[in-house]
Amino acid sequence: MEAVGEIKKIKGDNISEEQINKIVEAIKRAKPLDHEEWNKKHSKGKNNYQLFQGKNSSGKMYIRIKGTKEDAEKVADEYKNQNYTISDIRQDKKEKDVWFFYYSK
């Protein structure tokens, strides 16, 4: 709701009132990414990769993907589309078919 208030304050010709209202409504209806649901949807059936969510010892959230780098890139793109900030995709040092990235809001 704080973001809604900030958007409503924007004045100028770069965003129409209609566009602002559409953005506001989209923000109001937005829900946090449900990692478990996303994992179920994307880790079974049509995909040949596995997805794991975790937190490292310093509290940073990460996603591990067991599959190809292309699989990891698809997952990372989905997180970006959900407005998460992600780190570079890195390969696990021990498991060559495992890729990971850190994410935050």
Side-chain angles (χ1 to χ4, degrees), residues 3-44:
V4 170
E6 290 301 311
I7 291 171
K8 283 289 200 180
K9 290 179 191 175
I10 296 173
K11 300 292 182 208
D13 296 332
N14 55 348
I15 300 178
S16 71
E17 188 68 30
E18 182 181 345
Q19 289 172 319
I20 291 172
N21 289 333
K22 284 182 182 179
I23 293 168
V24 168
E25 289 307 312
I27 291 170
K28 285 180 181 178
R29 290 189 308 274
K31 296 178 184 171
L33 180 64
D34 182 334
H35 298 286
E36 294 299 321
E37 185 63 32
W38 195 92
N39 189 17
K40 288 177 192 173
K41 180 178 172 185
H42 293 282
S43 293
K44 294 182 181 174

Side-chain angles (χ1 to χ4, degrees), residues 65-77:
I65 302 96
K66 185 170 184 163
T68 66
K69 185 170 185 182
E70 290 76 22
D71 294 331
E73 289 167 347
K74 284 185 220 172
V75 173
D77 286 342

Side-chain angles (χ1 to χ4, degrees), residues 26-88:
I27 291 170
K28 285 180 181 178
R29 290 189 308 274
K31 296 178 184 171
L33 180 64
D34 182 334
H35 298 286
E36 294 299 321
E37 185 63 32
W38 195 92
N39 189 17
K40 288 177 192 173
K41 180 178 172 185
H42 293 282
S43 293
K44 294 182 181 174
K46 61 184 176 182
N47 298 319
N48 294 323
Y49 61 87
Q50 292 178 314
L51 186 71
F52 306 95
Q53 174 192 7
K55 189 185 293 190
N56 71 10
S57 59
S58 61
K60 287 176 74 173
M61 298 297 292
Y62 66 84
I63 298 295
R64 285 175 43 101
I65 302 96
K66 185 170 184 163
T68 66
K69 185 170 185 182
E70 290 76 22
D71 294 331
E73 289 167 347
K74 284 185 220 172
V75 173
D77 286 342
E78 182 65 30
Y79 274 74
K80 286 179 191 175
N81 290 338
Q82 295 291 328
N83 295 319
Y84 283 89
T85 301
I86 68 161
S87 70
D88 291 335

